[in-house]
Amino acid sequence: MPPLRTALLQSSGRPGDVAANLKVLDEAAGRAAAAGAGLLVCAEMFLTGYAIGDEVPKLAEAADGPSAQAVAEIAVRHGLGVVYGYPERDGESVYNSAQLIGPDGTRLANYRKTHLFGCFEQEWFTPGETQVVQAELGGLRLGMMICYDVEFPENVRAHALAGTDLLLVPTAQMHPFQFVAESVVPVRAFENQMYIAYVNRTGPEGEFEFVGLSCLAGPDGTARARAGREAELVIGDADPEFLAASRVNNPYLRDRRPGLYTSLV
């Protein structure tokens, strides 16, 4: 089975301007497809911007809203899957969500962030209640998570136990927490034997300074692709054969003793 070439769009786009961000996404999808990518992953709240305050409820859309349809058209035009972050409206609730659109335009998965970070998110969003959301693409089982979620080891382990091969993590990771991108994410990939695509925003936005450093971390704990601090598109391969061999050689999941862990819940 061939690797799933995965493109990471490290960009903050233009906060507050959905149309402009869709254009950025379309252009990046074209470059990713030209490089042979089958999947493009964007940052947290890429569609609208992150630090947009009271614009959050105004710009929030249903999971099948007009922006989802626009992203589906981009996915079909360039023949690749797309993951994008956005504020999702469902009735009176607004969620910090990420959606996966398949290369045929089908909505394959929608995930609502379960662990909200800081006062800003807790003011504007409702936390999601579904821990593991998965879909199949390119012969791999993809899982979804958003930013702060990946910093909870129980979350990632739940995905490992559910068979996730490639964990997709749109993020808005800010100064001074860059060690998460540099160190925590590769360790999560190693201890759970999976690939993790961790895709960040960049530069100043409102009160935040996003640090970039997006990466595709492999099950060997190395960054197979790593961005710097500026906006860029980086590409790496999630190789199912390497993953299978790594899982044979790494005993973490086999050597677990769940009976000792009941106090964790």
Side-chain angles (χ1 to χ4, degrees), residues 205-231:
E205 191 178 328
E207 62 185 289
F208 308 111
E209 177 74 29
F210 298 113
V211 301
L213 301 174
S214 300
C215 69
L216 177 66
D220 57 353
T222 67
R224 298 310 184 90
R226 170 74 75 182
R229 297 298 186 100
E230 305 299 323

Side-chain angles (χ1 to χ4, degrees), residues 124-175:
W124 293 109
F125 298 108
T126 299
E129 296 295 334
T130 302
Q131 184 181 35
V132 176
V133 172
Q134 296 174 310
E136 304 289 329
L137 183 70
L140 293 176
R141 181 171 296 177
L142 309 185
M144 299 181 70
M145 209 173 269
I146 298 175
C147 196
Y148 194 38
D149 291 328
V150 82
E151 298 176 40
F152 292 82
E154 302 91 340
N155 264 0
V156 188
R157 181 52 53 86
H159 271 273
L161 297 177
T164 293
D165 299 313
L166 170 59
L167 184 61
L168 310 173
V169 189
T171 192
Q173 213 268 304
M174 57 199 69
H175 178 82

Side-chain angles (χ1 to χ4, degrees), residues 40 49 115 158 188 214 244:
L40 172 65
H115 295 71
R188 289 281 181 272
S214 300

Side-chain angles (χ1 to χ4, degrees), residues 108-130:
L108 297 179
N110 188 67
Y111 172 79
R112 295 167 172 175
K113 189 173 186 177
T114 55
H115 295 71
L116 300 180
F117 178 78
C119 297
F120 171 77
E121 291 189 13
Q122 292 169 13
E123 177 180 0
W124 293 109
F125 298 108
T126 299
E129 296 295 334
T130 302

Side-chain angles (χ1 to χ4, degrees), residues 41-244:
V41 187
C42 303
E44 181 176 3
M45 293 281 285
F46 176 78
L47 185 66
T48 60
Y50 181 87
I52 56 174
D54 58 10
E55 291 295 303
V56 168
K58 299 176 185 177
L59 295 177
E61 294 186 19
D64 60 353
S67 292
Q69 297 173 33
V71 174
E73 292 171 3
I74 291 171
V76 170
R77 182 159 54 250
H78 299 291
L80 79 176
V82 177
V83 175
Y84 68 101
Y86 73 110
E88 178 195 355
R89 177 169 295 284
D90 185 358
E92 294 301 312
S93 297
V94 176
Y95 299 90
N96 183 339
S97 296
Q99 184 150 233
L100 167 62
I101 306 290
D104 62 353
T106 302
R107 294 171 47 240
L108 297 179
N110 188 67
Y111 172 79
R112 295 167 172 175
K113 189 173 186 177
T114 55
H115 295 71
L116 300 180
F117 178 78
C119 297
F120 171 77
E121 291 189 13
Q122 292 169 13
E123 177 180 0
W124 293 109
F125 298 108
T126 299
E129 296 295 334
T130 302
Q131 184 181 35
V132 176
V133 172
Q134 296 174 310
E136 304 289 329
L137 183 70
L140 293 176
R141 181 171 296 177
L142 309 185
M144 299 181 70
M145 209 173 269
I146 298 175
C147 196
Y148 194 38
D149 291 328
V150 82
E151 298 176 40
F152 292 82
E154 302 91 340
N155 264 0
V156 188
R157 181 52 53 86
H159 271 273
L161 297 177
T164 293
D165 299 313
L166 170 59
L167 184 61
L168 310 173
V169 189
T171 192
Q173 213 268 304
M174 57 199 69
H175 178 82
F177 307 111
Q178 51 266 30
F179 66 88
V180 173
E182 294 169 334
S183 301
V184 173
V185 170
V187 168
R188 289 281 181 272
F190 177 72
E191 67 190 7
N192 291 288
Q193 287 300 288
M194 61 176 61
Y195 286 93
I196 300 180
Y198 185 80
V199 188
N200 200 11
R201 305 179 68 82
T202 60
E205 191 178 328
E207 62 185 289
F208 308 111
E209 177 74 29
F210 298 113
V211 301
L213 301 174
S214 300
C215 69
L216 177 66
D220 57 353
T222 67
R224 298 310 184 90
R226 170 74 75 182
R229 297 298 186 100
E230 305 299 323
E232 61 180 300
L233 184 73
V234 296
I235 296 175
D237 290 335
D239 185 345
E241 292 186 4
F242 181 84
L243 178 59

